[in-house]
Amino acid sequence: MKTMLNVALPKGRLGEKVYNMFEKAGFDCPSIKENNRKLIFENEECAVRYFWVKPSDVAIYVERGAADIGVAGKDILLEYTPDVYELLDLKTGICRMAVAAKKDFRDNLQRPLKVATKFTNIAKNYYTSVGRDIDIIHLNGSIEIAPILNLSDVIVDIVETGTTLKENNLEVFETIVPISARLICNKSSFKFKNEPIEKLLKSLASQVAQEK
Ligand code: PRP
């Protein structure tokens, strides 16, 4: 029996796009396209098994070896710094991590800046690097509401099209870091399942290069 390559994909549009890239690389698994609520799919012939997981959990599966390979946003990698190899920038899922606030926001340097975010580590590292004291407020979603209700002065969040900010009368004040999807790999899988991983990596890298 061939050794299976276990792949954690982020559930949603990004995951579907990335699956198509894996398929082109020779790791197809037709059952994944049947629209049902299953979360695990395998194709013994290609020796591959896919899991749909919550995007922010992909790195946990890969770090702990439940998956050999996965696709995670750079935001998650910067926030949680999982002990994995980052093999390739897939140049998709492109967005940026930014500081946003109400249009009339002016920073008052006399007091700590109140920052609402899901990404507390990214926010802390950024404000440490610019030498600004902050009061961090951890939220789990709908971050854009925080400055509107004066819960915070600013937010640190993902901006993709900018529509969410615009519709809530907020604007970007600073871009912290560009974000895109990355191929990540469990460190021991990289050693012990090197052959299929290298095959996959080579094909994905050439697909990314062709898309340029
Ligand atoms: C992200 C982010 C913004 C939105 C930005 O949320 O937190 O709310 O996308 O996208 P836009 O610039 O194209 O409007 P996501 O959809 O990931 O949901 P969540 O914050 O509830 O996890």
Side-chain angles (χ1 to χ4, degrees), residues 107-115 132-136 153:
D107 196 358
N108 175 0
L109 297 170
Q110 306 303 313
R111 58 170 181 78
L113 182 71
K114 285 191 279 175
V115 182
R132 179 73 174 99
D133 261 355
I134 60 168
D135 171 12
I136 200 110
D153 300 308

Coordinates of all heavy atoms in Angstrom, one line a residue, residues 107-115 132-136 153:
D107 N -4.5 60.5 16.2 CA -3.9 59.8 17.3 C -3.5 60.8 18.5 O -2.9 61.8 18.2 CB -2.6 59.1 16.9 CG -2.2 58.0 17.9 OD1 -2.8 57.9 18.9 OD2 -1.2 57.3 17.6
N108 N -4.0 60.5 19.7 CA -3.6 61.3 20.9 C -2.5 60.6 21.6 O -2.7 59.6 22.3 CB -4.8 61.4 21.8 CG -4.5 62.1 23.1 OD1 -3.4 62.5 23.3 ND2 -5.5 62.3 23.9
L109 N -1.3 61.1 21.4 CA -0.1 60.5 22.0 C 0.0 60.5 23.5 O 0.9 59.9 24.1 CB 1.2 61.1 21.3 CG 1.3 60.8 19.8 CD1 2.4 61.6 19.1 CD2 1.4 59.3 19.4
Q110 N -0.9 61.3 24.1 CA -0.8 61.4 25.6 C -1.3 60.1 26.3 O -1.2 60.0 27.5 CB -1.7 62.6 26.0 CG -1.4 63.9 25.4 CD 0.0 64.3 25.6 OE1 0.5 64.2 26.7 NE2 0.7 64.7 24.5
R111 N -2.0 59.3 25.5 CA -2.5 58.0 26.2 C -2.4 56.8 25.3 O -2.2 57.0 24.0 CB -4.0 58.2 26.6 CG -4.9 58.6 25.4 CD -6.4 58.5 25.8 NE -7.3 58.8 24.7 CZ -7.6 58.0 23.7 NH1 -7.0 56.8 23.7 NH2 -8.4 58.3 22.8
P112 N -2.4 55.6 25.8 CA -2.3 54.4 25.0 C -3.4 54.4 23.9 O -4.5 54.8 24.2 CB -2.4 53.3 25.9 CG -2.2 53.8 27.3 CD -2.6 55.2 27.3
L113 N -3.0 53.9 22.8 CA -4.0 53.7 21.7 C -4.8 52.5 21.9 O -4.2 51.4 22.1 CB -3.1 53.6 20.4 CG -3.9 53.5 19.1 CD1 -4.6 54.9 18.7 CD2 -3.0 53.1 17.9
K114 N -6.1 52.6 21.8 CA -7.0 51.4 22.0 C -7.1 50.7 20.6 O -7.6 51.3 19.7 CB -8.3 51.8 22.5 CG -8.3 52.2 24.0 CD -9.7 52.4 24.6 CE -10.2 53.8 24.3 NZ -11.6 53.9 24.7
V115 N -6.7 49.5 20.6 CA -6.6 48.7 19.3 C -7.5 47.5 19.4 O -7.2 46.6 20.3 CB -5.2 48.3 19.0 CG1 -5.1 47.5 17.7 CG2 -4.2 49.4 19.0
R132 N 4.8 52.5 19.9 CA 3.6 53.2 20.4 C 2.9 52.2 21.4 O 2.7 51.1 21.2 CB 2.6 53.4 19.2 CG 1.3 54.0 19.5 CD 1.4 55.4 19.8 NE 0.1 56.1 20.0 CZ -0.4 56.3 21.2 NH1 0.2 56.0 22.3 NH2 -1.6 57.0 21.2
D133 N 2.6 52.8 22.6 CA 1.9 52.1 23.7 C 0.5 51.8 23.3 O -0.2 52.7 22.8 CB 1.8 53.0 24.9 CG 2.9 52.6 25.9 OD1 3.6 51.7 25.6 OD2 3.0 53.4 26.9
I134 N 0.0 50.6 23.5 CA -1.4 50.3 23.1 C -2.1 49.6 24.3 O -1.5 49.0 25.2 CB -1.5 49.4 21.8 CG1 -0.8 48.1 22.0 CG2 -1.0 50.2 20.6 CD1 -1.1 47.1 20.9
D135 N -3.4 49.7 24.1 CA -4.3 48.9 25.0 C -5.1 48.0 24.1 O -5.8 48.4 23.2 CB -5.3 49.9 25.7 CG -6.4 49.3 26.4 OD1 -6.3 48.0 26.7 OD2 -7.4 50.0 26.8
I136 N -4.8 46.7 24.2 CA -5.3 45.8 23.2 C -6.7 45.2 23.6 O -6.9 44.8 24.7 CB -4.3 44.6 22.9 CG1 -4.5 44.0 21.5 CG2 -4.2 43.6 23.9 CD1 -3.5 44.3 20.5
D153 N -9.9 53.0 19.4 CA -9.5 54.1 18.5 C -9.4 53.6 17.1 O -9.8 54.2 16.1 CB -8.2 54.7 18.9 CG -8.3 55.2 20.3 OD1 -9.2 56.0 20.6 OD2 -7.4 54.9 21.2

